[in-house]
Amino acid sequence: METNGPNHHSRENRPSTGSNNVNRGQSTEEEVFVNQAQMTWHEVRRQWAGDRSQKSKRIAREPIMSWTTTYEDLLCSTERFQQPIPLAEMVDFLVDTWHEEGLYD
């Protein structure tokens, strides 16, 4: 069945935004989806983690543990460390030790 006139049921000229206001001339811009949940998540994360741009850059410092310290030195010693060892330094030490012993691939 052919029709020569305009088809009122055709979607070719209709916007896919679902807005009826476009055809009435009230708005010429497309509606933009705003993910409120994502915006809230980022705001809460920023509050929890802090604003990293405000934090000062950490200055590289000498390691607390001597480079000659062995795994056995740590296990056999009952003495406390002179100062707390940063987690990153301890992880590096353990990973290096495990690599040497073939325990970490």
Side-chain angles (χ1 to χ4, degrees), residues 12-69:
E12 291 177 16
N13 295 328
R14 290 186 188 174
S16 62
T17 61
S19 173
N20 293 331
N21 295 337
V22 174
N23 292 336
R24 294 183 190 149
Q26 293 178 358
S27 174
T28 57
E29 297 179 17
E30 290 186 29
E31 292 181 25
V32 178
F33 174 73
V34 178
N35 189 338
Q36 294 294 331
Q38 181 184 24
M39 291 172 56
T40 302
W41 182 87
H42 282 292
E43 176 64 24
V44 170
R45 183 182 183 281
R46 188 183 60 74
Q47 290 173 1
W48 180 79
D51 189 0
R52 293 187 177 261
S53 65
Q54 300 295 330
K55 292 186 179 181
S56 62
K57 302 290 182 193
R58 291 188 181 179
I59 300 171
R61 59 180 173 188
E62 291 294 318
I64 295 172
M65 292 190 310
S66 169
W67 64 274
T68 60
T69 303

Side-chain angles (χ1 to χ4, degrees), residues 68-81:
T68 60
T69 303
T70 65
Y71 192 65
E72 288 76 21
D73 292 339
L74 294 178
L75 292 176
C76 296
S77 176
T78 58
E79 294 180 29
R80 300 190 91 185
F81 293 110

Side-chain angles (χ1 to χ4, degrees), residues 88-102:
E89 184 176 333
M90 183 56 76
V91 169
D92 287 342
F93 172 80
L94 291 172
V95 168
D96 290 343
T97 301
W98 295 334
H99 272 292
E100 291 172 5
E101 295 179 5

